């Protein structure tokens, strides 16, 4: 057995399987903000030599702005070892399917291409997609050896901070409280990038949502890391401006780009 889930936490028990002929490494990969660019995502899977034994987590925003939004969703859904965490663009699609937001609002938020694909679906297909999007997790807690990672789309709503032992922020409790109060505000929040330096979290946070090419004092299409959080959105929807798709391997921190 490779992993187990306890109270929403994915605990990796083993990183390798010993076969009769060879030793197979088990790896966990993270990517984010693919934005309907299914071909580039497939290139990334090829580049990292993604196998059935590995695990991939997409930290939200698989849809909108690109040309193959539903093909990407279909690929994710049929691949058992690729998990999607809800981003603000999945949330917008969900709300559109529920009739809560209209076409003009979604289009203004970058959803035009996805909306055109969704509009030609049958009613049963729309209902199935809505159920899937609504069921997506907001975060994933992953433990690899002694290291604990909190995977989510936006990272933090500063209005909801839950402190644990020693005034260290319990990020899971903080995010859950924020989502319980207002899921939309959490998914659209950029607060993680503006928190005071003195704030400490109880585990390393890994996010997407805000392109690193827009981060002050960084402004390049590379994964951004500091002692509290990592941003892996390197601007794939901004490829004309030098953005690209990033992938991070958790076991050793190796970075991949397409």
């Amino acid at each position: 057995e490779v992993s187990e889930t306890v109270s929403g936490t994915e605990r990796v028990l083993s990183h390798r399987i010993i076969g009769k002929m060879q030793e197979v490494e088990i790896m966990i990969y993270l990517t984010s903000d693919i934005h309907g660019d299914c071909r580039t995502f497939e290139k990334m899977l090829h580049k990292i030599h993604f196998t059935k034994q590995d695990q991939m987590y997409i930290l939200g925003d698989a849809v909108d702005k690109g040309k193959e939004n539903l093909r990407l969703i279909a690929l994710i859904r049929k691949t058992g070892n690729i998990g999607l965490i809800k981003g603000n663009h999945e949330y917008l699609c969900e709300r559109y399917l529920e009739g809560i937001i209209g076409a003009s609002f979604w289009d203004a938020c970058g959803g035009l291409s996805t909306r055109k694909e969704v509009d030609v679906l049958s009613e049963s297909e729309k209902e199935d997609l809505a159920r899937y999007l609504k069921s997506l997790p907001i975060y994933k807690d992953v433990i690899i050896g002694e290291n604990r990672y909190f995977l989510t789309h936006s990272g933090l709503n500063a209005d909801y901070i839950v402190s644990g032992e020693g005034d260290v922020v319990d990020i899971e409790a903080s995010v859950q409280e924020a989502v319980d109060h207002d899921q939309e505000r959490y998914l659209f929040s950029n607060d993680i990038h503006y928190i005071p330096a003195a704030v400490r979290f109880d585990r390393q946070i890994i996010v997407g949502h805000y392109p690193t090419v827009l981060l002050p004092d960084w402004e390049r299409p590379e994964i951004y890391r500091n002692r509290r959080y990592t941003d892996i959105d390197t601007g794939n929807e901004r490829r004309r401006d030098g953005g690209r798709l990033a992938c991070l391997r958790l076991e050793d921190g190796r970075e991949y780009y397409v």
Side-chain angles (χ1 to χ4, degrees), residues 16-247:
R16 56 185 60 183
I17 297 174
I18 308 299
K20 292 183 178 180
M21 299 298 295
Q22 62 181 349
E23 183 178 282
V24 181
E25 292 287 346
I26 309 291
M27 296 294 176
I28 294 181
Y29 296 93
L30 310 178
T31 190
S32 186
D33 295 79
I34 305 168
H35 284 296
D37 189 355
C38 193
R39 293 185 182 183
T40 296
F41 179 62
E42 289 173 326
K43 289 178 182 178
M44 181 64 78
L45 293 178
H46 178 74
K47 184 169 188 175
I48 65 176
H49 304 293
F50 191 67
T51 72
K52 293 180 180 179
Q53 288 78 33
D54 297 325
Q55 176 68 50
M56 168 77 75
Y57 293 112
I58 302 170
L59 308 190
D61 286 3
V63 299
D64 290 355
K65 303 181 182 181
K67 297 180 179 180
E68 296 182 302
N69 303 280
L70 296 190
R71 188 167 87 85
L72 178 55
I73 290 294
L75 173 61
I76 294 168
R77 295 184 71 177
K78 76 177 184 181
T79 309
N81 56 337
I82 298 180
L84 176 60
I85 291 171
K86 187 183 291 187
N88 55 297
H89 285 276
E90 284 79 33
Y91 176 80
L92 288 170
C93 184
E94 173 192 329
R95 303 289 272 184
Y96 177 75
L97 288 165
E98 292 176 333
I100 296 172
I101 64 171
S104 60
F105 182 82
W106 191 15
D107 290 355
C109 294
L112 176 62
S113 59
T114 313
R115 181 181 62 77
K116 287 183 175 180
E117 294 181 52
V118 166
D119 282 348
V120 299
L121 296 176
S122 67
E123 287 306 311
S124 62
E125 289 172 329
K126 290 178 181 177
E127 291 172 2
D128 175 66
L129 179 58
R131 283 193 298 269
Y132 169 72
L133 295 174
K134 199 171 188 66
S135 72
L136 292 175
I138 300 293
Y139 59 83
K140 191 79 174 177
D141 196 34
V142 176
I143 299 173
I144 300 178
E146 300 300 317
N147 299 313
R148 190 172 185 179
Y149 304 93
F150 188 79
L151 317 179
T152 190
H153 183 62
S154 68
L156 185 73
N157 180 340
D159 290 337
Y160 301 97
I161 300 293
V162 179
S163 295
E165 185 176 348
D167 290 327
V168 174
V169 174
D170 183 328
I171 187 59
E172 183 172 351
S174 299
V175 168
Q176 191 60 60
E177 185 170 332
V179 171
D180 289 344
H181 281 83
D182 192 333
Q183 181 178 174
E184 181 174 315
R185 281 189 62 200
Y186 170 72
L187 290 173
F188 278 85
S189 174
N190 296 320
D191 291 352
I192 190 72
H193 304 288
Y194 302 101
I195 52 176
V199 175
R200 295 182 299 148
F201 296 101
D202 62 351
R203 68 206 83 168
Q204 179 73 11
I205 306 167
I206 305 180
V207 302
H209 184 53
Y210 196 83
T212 60
V213 294
L214 301 179
L215 288 176
D217 302 322
W218 189 254
E219 298 178 345
R220 53 185 183 267
E222 297 175 10
I223 291 173
Y224 172 80
R225 312 180 196 222
N226 64 31
R227 65 181 180 84
R228 295 176 298 179
Y229 76 93
T230 298
D231 184 353
I232 64 172
D233 175 7
T234 54
N236 190 56
E237 83 281 10
R238 299 169 180 268
R239 298 186 74 84
R240 291 183 179 180
D241 299 320
R244 52 186 177 168
L245 185 66
C247 182

